Amino acid sequence: MGYLSRMTQWKSKLSLEDDASPLDGGNKSKLKLGLFSYPVLQAADILVHRATHVPVGEDQSQHLEFARECATNFNHAYGPHLIAPQTLLSPAKRIMSLQTPTQKMSKSHPSPISRIRLTDPPNTITKKISSALTDSQNAVSYSPSERPGVSNLLTLWSSFDTQNPKRTPAQIAEECEAKKFTLGDLKRETANAVNTGLEPIRKNYERLLGDEGYVEEVARKGGIKARENAERTMVEVREVVGF
């Protein structure tokens, strides 16, 4: 419980300070076990399938450290049987809300225009990005601390950049500045980049929706494979623990 109490995500979900305790009266009444113990479930899912590398968002990296700690402690007690997973972070570690750029983009945000869904049609994505909160400076520069809204759009553009290698948000900002881009120009180009990048994903999603039998068969076979894979780990764990 001590380790879980130091996790920051449940505190963030409840809008609490980083030093908040789950045993404080007000916090205790608001905190649900599912939220508090989620890192345990996540660690179990990772370790039972012997994952070596796990791609996560920046806010989940602490959970991966917890999974590593679980594996390390188990191996110290019973021998090297579990794999301590490595964290994989993408260059765009965190995409922020289009309406509140100091907060992470989230599907639970009350405003639907704060987030981009993979299945959003191009015109919807363009409208959402066009209405993204920026600031009063009608020029482009990259400064996450001073210009979070503009910097978030640059991060989005960079994430879907088609140049090889991809340009960083700062590099794109420099090019925009040289071209004297306005914020309207930035939003237009960001929307174009996002729409181009999501088009094949959206088309594949629509194709799969039209083939229900295929999706069900993949889920069935995947379930069988996952159970067999997990059982391999559990047989070994039960044996060394003595169950």
Side-chain angles (χ1 to χ4, degrees):
M1 183 171 176
Y3 201 118
L4 293 177
S5 69
R6 296 193 294 274
M7 293 287 179
T8 58
Q9 192 171 58
W10 67 266
K11 300 173 187 178
S12 174
K13 291 284 187 182
L14 297 179
S15 301
L16 300 174
E17 298 295 329
D18 288 345
D19 60 352
S21 168
L23 299 179
D24 292 345
N27 301 340
K28 190 175 181 180
S29 64
K30 292 189 293 184
L31 182 59
K32 305 299 183 183
L33 178 61
L35 176 61
F36 186 67
S37 64
Y38 173 73
V40 178
L41 177 63
Q42 187 180 39
D45 286 341
I46 293 168
L47 298 179
V48 79
H49 290 293
R50 303 179 302 283
T52 59
H53 296 76
V54 182
V56 294
E58 189 177 40
D59 59 321
Q60 293 284 313
S61 60
Q62 191 180 38
H63 292 187
L64 260 293
E65 286 303 315
F66 176 73
R68 288 177 55 81
E69 184 80 5
C70 291
T72 300
N73 289 344
F74 184 91
N75 291 342
H76 179 74
Y78 298 104
H81 298 283
L82 298 181
I83 296 174
Q86 300 295 316
T87 302
L88 289 180
L89 293 175
S90 73
K93 298 176 183 177
R94 182 177 295 194
I95 300 297
M96 312 306 283
S97 165
L98 295 177
Q99 294 300 310
T100 314
T102 54
Q103 298 178 4
K104 187 185 76 166
M105 185 180 287
S106 171
K107 62 182 179 183
S108 61
H109 193 283
S111 173
I113 63 173
S114 69
R115 57 187 171 270
I116 295 173
R117 295 165 55 91
L118 295 179
T119 54
D120 278 342
N123 63 324
T124 299
I125 291 175
T126 298
K127 288 179 181 178
K128 288 181 177 181
I129 292 177
S130 296
S131 64
L133 181 68
T134 49
D135 53 43
S136 59
Q137 301 179 48
N138 196 23
V140 179
S141 61
Y142 182 70
S143 176
S145 59
E146 297 180 8
R147 307 190 71 190
V150 174
S151 299
N152 190 41
L153 293 179
L154 288 164
T155 299
L156 265 174
W157 183 351
S158 174
S159 299
F160 290 96
D161 191 26
T162 56
Q163 291 195 19
N164 188 17
K166 289 181 182 292
R167 293 168 293 177
T168 66
Q171 289 172 333
I172 293 176
E174 290 177 1
E175 293 181 17
C176 290
E177 187 176 8
K179 296 176 181 177
K180 301 188 183 305
F181 266 29
T182 65
L183 294 184
D185 296 327
L186 171 63
K187 290 180 176 181
R188 182 191 66 246
E189 294 302 319
T190 300
N192 289 340
V194 173
N195 279 323
T196 299
L198 290 183
E199 182 180 13
I201 297 174
R202 184 168 49 247
K203 286 185 175 180
N204 199 37
Y205 173 80
E206 292 170 353
R207 178 184 65 80
L208 292 173
L209 278 183
D211 192 350
E212 186 175 337
Y214 171 77
V215 174
E216 291 179 349
E217 182 64 10
V218 169
R220 186 188 68 82
K221 289 182 177 179
I224 293 173
K225 185 176 181 179
R227 284 189 290 273
E228 291 175 348
N229 191 48
E231 186 58 22
R232 283 176 52 198
T233 302
M234 292 310 300
V235 166
E236 185 175 344
V237 166
R238 293 188 193 104
E239 182 178 347
V240 298
V241 172
F243 286 168

